[in-house]
Amino acid sequence: EPEVTQTPSHQVTQMGQEVILRCVPISNHLYFYWYRQILGQKVEFLVSFYNNEISEKSEIFDDQFSVERPDGSNFTLKIRSTKLEDSAMYFCATEDWTDEKLFFGSGTQLSVL
Amino acid sequence: SQQGEEDPQALSIQEGENATMNCSYKTSINNLQWYRQNSGRGLVHLILIRSNEREKHSGRLRVTLDTSKKSSSLLITASRAADTASYFCATTIIQGAQKLVFGQGTRLTINP
């Protein structure tokens, strides 16, 4: 079965540093999402992306966050200046246009020290 | 805000028993989905039920939807130890973006 691939699986960074989380979507999928989950809490929507632009973003997705699809395959989430409270598991999810279910990657565990 | 709330937050049962989890939401929806998450892993889609459907089955899973009460339930029959996971309901709203809004989840433990 096709998979969403996320790298790295773990990322440790110092507060104030930039991080880039990467995702390779399923090849024929058109809708891309980033979610995050703080340990033991619910899965929170960050941003949706379609046709090379942001469709919707949450309050969490402030100016420190950005997304892009730099090469037509990878889908990245950048956090410019990380904060302690950015520590969470970040999930990429993708969806094709015929089916409303999301396919999730295994996540990147981000730890900000 | 429109949001799923699962009940109970945690459920522990013996293998072979049935497990029922409930979800409530606040605003009108297009569909409601259930996902499963094994510890430290991504979410896996289990089943989708549309707003005009009342019940849906998939293997040992049975989902019901009551739009008048804005609630859904997920029943897992004949539970197995491998069903141990967290289960989340998620909704897409009418006239909204494609995003799914997830609830808090129910942590299900199946004891052998």
Side-chain angles (χ1 to χ4, degrees), chain A residues 3-84:
Chain A
E3 288 185 342
V4 176
T5 305
Q6 287 187 246
T7 56
S9 56
H10 294 85
Q11 175 88 51
V12 180
T13 190
Q14 295 292 323
M15 190 170 57
Q17 294 295 304
E18 174 184 286
V19 295
I20 297 177
L21 311 183
R22 302 179 194 281
C23 169
V24 178
I26 294 171
S27 62
N28 60 338
H29 284 193
L30 301 178
Y31 300 93
F32 311 122
Y33 306 84
W34 284 101
Y35 285 82
R36 80 172 187 189
Q37 185 180 33
I38 295 171
L39 184 64
Q41 299 187 24
K42 65 181 179 181
V43 179
E44 299 176 292
F45 168 78
L46 293 179
V47 65
S48 59
F49 190 86
Y50 170 69
N51 201 26
N52 287 320
E53 60 182 30
I54 290 174
S55 306
E56 186 170 352
K57 57 185 180 181
S58 71
E59 293 176 353
I60 302 168
F61 195 89
D62 62 21
D63 292 344
Q64 293 302 311
F65 290 85
S66 62
V67 290
E68 64 174 359
R69 204 160 180 230
D71 55 11
S73 59
N74 291 294
F75 178 52
T76 62
L77 174 69
K78 181 192 290 186
I79 309 174
R80 288 190 185 81
S81 178
T82 50
K83 307 183 188 76
L84 295 175

Side-chain angles (χ1 to χ4, degrees), chain A residues 31 33 35 37 40-45 48 55-56 89 91 95 98-107, chain B residues 3 30-31 33 35 37 40-45 48 50 88 92 96-105:
Chain A
Y31 300 93
Y33 306 84
Y35 285 82
Q37 185 180 33
Q41 299 187 24
K42 65 181 179 181
V43 179
E44 299 176 292
F45 168 78
S48 59
S55 306
E56 186 170 352
M89 179 75 92
F91 292 106
E95 178 186 353
T98 62
D99 195 335
E100 292 166 88
K101 69 182 185 184
L102 298 188
F103 290 79
F104 281 80
S106 294
Chain B
Q3 188 172 15
N30 280 328
N31 65 59
Q33 304 181 38
Y35 285 78
Q37 183 183 35
R41 305 288 294 174
L43 287 82
V44 176
H45 179 267
L48 179 153
R50 301 197 180 280
F88 294 86
T92 56
Q98 290 290 107
K99 71 178 186 186
L100 284 178
V101 179
F102 286 86
Q104 299 272 8

Side-chain angles (χ1 to χ4, degrees), chain B residues 59-97:
Chain B
R60 293 184 296 113
L61 304 180
R62 173 179 168 245
V63 170
T64 62
L65 180 64
D66 187 336
T67 53
S68 66
K69 294 181 180 177
K70 293 186 169 59
S71 67
S72 173
S73 67
L74 172 67
L75 168 67
I76 303 174
T77 60
S79 63
R80 305 167 183 167
D83 294 329
T84 294
S86 291
Y87 291 82
F88 294 86
C89 71
T91 54
T92 56
I93 62 173
I94 292 175
Q95 295 181 341

Side-chain angles (χ1 to χ4, degrees), chain B residues 8-29:
Chain B
Q9 292 189 358
L11 179 62
S12 180
I13 61 174
Q14 293 301 119
E15 195 166 20
E17 294 180 341
N18 295 341
T20 300
M21 290 160 273
N22 303 297
C23 168
S24 61
Y25 56 91
K26 296 179 181 175
T27 62
S28 297
I29 60 172

